[in-house]
Amino acid sequence: MSTFEIHQFPFVWDDNYGVLIHSPETGETACIDCGDAKAYQAALDEKGWDLTHIFITHHHADHTTGVLELKAQNNATVIGPDYLGGSPIKGIDQRVKDGATFQFGGKEIQVIYTPGHTMDLICYYIPEDGVIFVGDTLFAMGCGKHFEGTPAMIWESLKKIHALPEETLIYCSHEYTQENAAFAIQIDPDNEALKARMVEIDLKRADDIPTVPFTLQTELATNPFLRANDAGIRKQLGMEEADEVDVFTEIRIRRG
Ligand code: ZN
Ligand code: FE
């Protein structure tokens, strides 16, 4: 099967990105989350794609405010997290748990549960295309804040992303890259790959070019939240002998 076409577009909320995923073979189109029905509908109209599915990552308003409206306009099927305890998302047709798989556009989509930022947060992974949509689990050189879970929980969740093939292309929901980089360099000041990436992203942002998506390989080299075992970071934090989860927690707390 040919690779899905992916269309990413910014919308005004909190530096958010929306994403459309289109199968040229079956004609099906999914979106990731929907914080703003008008912005999503405009993107669909621009591409000339008919929305068939909405994949929700977590309940935060910038990810769900437009779901019911967009669903009604397009008669779309809504897939979302199976976390009844803490997920107030309305309009879900199919609830999915960690490890669940379902078919979309002739391919298998895998659900990876990554709690911590919220307790209902899930990622959508498409192994055949080597693409994952992580919501607010991970950002370029950053990760989601622990609003509902703990830093330790986020660390466990990030290990699941860490375990994917290095060439995996990651789509996250926010353009927080420059502020993340400014923090990362404080934690990891001697990292040459990080310095090089900062130059690259500053050039992109000066031209208003998105820094999303990015590869897991790039994150492994530059994202301090995936590098709790790095000797330089441990030295910088004075935590040479600490457990990796404690190093991660220290980085997450310092980030604020
Ligand atoms: Zn969020
Ligand atoms: Fe968000």
Side-chain angles (χ1 to χ4, degrees):
M1 278 223 147
S2 55
T3 309
F4 286 156
E5 291 173 34
I6 297 175
H7 176 61
Q8 177 180 263
F9 55 96
F11 68 94
V12 179
W13 190 302
D14 184 18
D15 278 347
N16 281 76
Y17 286 123
V19 179
L20 306 178
I21 310 161
H22 177 73
S23 165
E25 270 142 57
T26 69
E28 288 167 284
T29 302
C31 65
I32 299 296
D33 295 325
C34 182
D36 178 344
K38 281 191 181 59
Y40 275 63
Q41 193 61 55
L44 285 159
D45 293 345
E46 185 196 323
K47 298 302 289 184
W49 295 343
D50 294 323
L51 188 74
T52 54
H53 295 77
I54 301 173
F55 301 162
I56 305 178
T57 62
H58 67 297
H59 71 82
H60 279 162
D62 59 313
H63 299 257
T64 55
T65 296
V67 168
L68 288 179
E69 190 181 338
L70 194 70
K71 176 187 182 177
Q73 276 166 9
N74 295 277
N75 197 23
T77 300
V78 180
I79 296 175
D82 186 5
Y83 183 74
L84 297 170
S87 187
I89 304 165
K90 294 194 178 73
I92 296 178
D93 298 301
Q94 189 184 340
R95 293 186 179 272
V96 289
K97 282 188 197 312
D98 188 40
T101 60
F102 62 91
Q103 290 291 312
F104 164 78
K107 295 184 193 190
E108 184 182 271
I109 314 291
Q110 293 180 5
V111 175
I112 302 177
Y113 179 46
T114 54
H117 172 68
T118 62
M119 288 307 298
D120 64 348
L121 182 54
I122 55 176
C123 303
Y124 295 88
Y125 176 46
I126 311 176
E128 192 178 323
D129 284 6
V131 178
I132 188 167
F133 303 91
V134 299
D136 293 353
T137 302
L138 179 78
F139 302 121
M141 291 170 278
C143 74
K145 191 175 160 72
H146 46 288
F147 284 115
E148 295 177 10
T150 61
M153 213 178 263
I154 295 182
W155 176 247
E156 285 306 311
S157 293
L158 290 183
K159 280 201 221 169
K160 297 180 183 176
I161 308 291
H162 201 306
L164 299 174
E166 287 198 352
E167 60 276 14
T168 303
L169 198 58
I170 300 172
Y171 283 82
C172 67
S173 297
H174 295 273
E175 179 65 58
Y176 293 157
T177 309
Q178 278 179 311
E179 57 195 86
N180 286 338
F183 171 77
I185 197 70
Q186 293 172 33
I187 298 293
D188 199 3
D190 299 323
N191 183 337
E192 294 303 326
L194 175 57
K195 288 179 197 168
R197 191 180 186 191
M198 288 177 78
V199 172
E200 202 181 297
I201 63 157
D202 285 347
L203 286 170
K204 279 189 173 171
R205 293 313 295 150
D207 285 338
D208 211 24
I209 297 169
T211 63
V212 181
F214 41 83
T215 65
L216 176 58
Q217 188 172 37
T218 303
E219 290 312 303
L220 293 174
T222 57
N223 186 331
F225 295 99
L226 291 172
R227 293 166 55 75
N229 284 313
D230 180 75
I233 290 180
R234 286 170 163 264
K235 190 157 179 277
Q236 182 69 20
L237 295 173
M239 298 181 78
E240 283 97 330
E241 304 300 322
D243 283 349
E244 57 184 26
V245 63
D246 294 329
V247 177
F248 174 84
T249 299
E250 178 64 22
I251 300 170
R252 187 54 266 180
I253 287 168
R254 285 190 188 212
R255 179 67 176 88

